[in-house]
Amino acid sequence: MGNFLKTTILMIVLTVLFVWLGGAIGGREGAVTAFLMAAGINFFAYFFSDKMVLKRYRAREVDARTEPRLHGIVSKLASEADLPMPKVYVVPDRVPNAFATGRNPRHAAVAATEGILALLDDDELEGVVGHELAHVKHRDILTGTIAATVAGAIAMMGRFAKSGQGQGSSSNIFAVMLAAVGAPLAAVVIRMTISRVREYAADDGGAEISGKPNSLADALEKLSGVGGRRGILQHLNSAHAHMFIVNPLRGSRGMTSLLASHPPMEERVRRLREMVSE
């Protein structure tokens, strides 16, 4: 099954879960209220999160003069991917990682840490930049925002049910527990599954844009091996974990595969190596 089809199915399931939960505990009015609250929060995040994220990580914008290597790679690959030139940023952090942000290709930014620039060679860096540009081309920020909106609305309705505000909640303990705990947990699992699917799609797209799937695989192996020994990103917000090319929380304890924002690194590398052999 293709990545796009998987994402579509998961989004439909998430929406159906939202509609069911709204009707079960709050009727149409409760569902609409929760959805509008979540939509308002995520509408703000969609238009302003790029500036907020870049500011949080102290990212500085660079150009061809101040950072010719990174800027040149982004410029070359954006042209090959038929994308507008995104803004380019460097994050002053020794932990190797990278991310893309921006609500659409015309308002996109690619950011790399000082650590990743020092760690990777040019071919590997091209693989990483290709991955981030694939996120931009696939409009994954929009997909993630929609998923977050619906999942957030489900979480709000779950809290309504738990506090006894849902219609008929006192008469059916099982239904209340399902609405208060089961549905929000399912929404989080689906949202993280969408994130993992989009990472696979960005790996595929990045390999295509850069033309170097082996180099991207090499980069992921380096990032996975070295990153964990260099600690955690400064100013890291766990809500941003899905944005990075490798999970910045991979050293954390208690994270299950269902709740992980990234696919297993071994599987990502295996798929990229297979692209080379094919």
Side-chain angles (χ1 to χ4, degrees), residues 66 86 88 107-108 116 139 162 173 233 249 256:
T66 56
V88 183
H107 299 85
I116 201 172
R139 296 177 182 264
K162 191 174 182 179
I173 299 300
L233 285 161
L249 298 172
T256 67

Side-chain angles (χ1 to χ4, degrees), residues 146-264:
I146 295 173
T149 297
V150 180
I154 290 172
M156 287 181 182
M157 286 190 289
R159 286 194 289 272
F160 293 162
K162 191 174 182 179
S163 62
Q165 295 179 19
Q167 296 176 355
S169 59
S170 60
S171 62
N172 192 330
I173 299 300
F174 177 77
V176 172
M177 290 301 295
L178 183 63
V181 180
L185 178 60
V188 172
V189 170
I190 293 171
R191 182 186 172 194
M192 292 298 100
T193 303
I194 291 172
S195 176
R196 293 194 296 273
V197 170
R198 300 321 301 157
E199 283 302 307
Y200 279 135
D203 284 345
D204 294 345
E208 182 178 349
I209 290 171
S210 68
K212 299 174 180 177
N214 226 11
S215 294
L216 176 55
D218 291 342
L220 291 176
E221 287 184 328
K222 278 188 178 181
L223 293 171
S224 177
V226 175
R229 299 198 298 269
R230 297 192 179 183
I232 295 178
L233 285 161
Q234 300 178 58
H235 319 296
L236 178 64
N237 183 338
S238 60
H240 302 154
H242 68 283
M243 297 177 57
F244 292 89
I245 188 168
V246 293
N247 188 353
L249 298 172
R250 61 194 175 284
S252 302
R253 298 292 183 227
M255 291 189 68
T256 67
S257 58
L258 285 177
L259 297 179
S261 59
H262 290 64

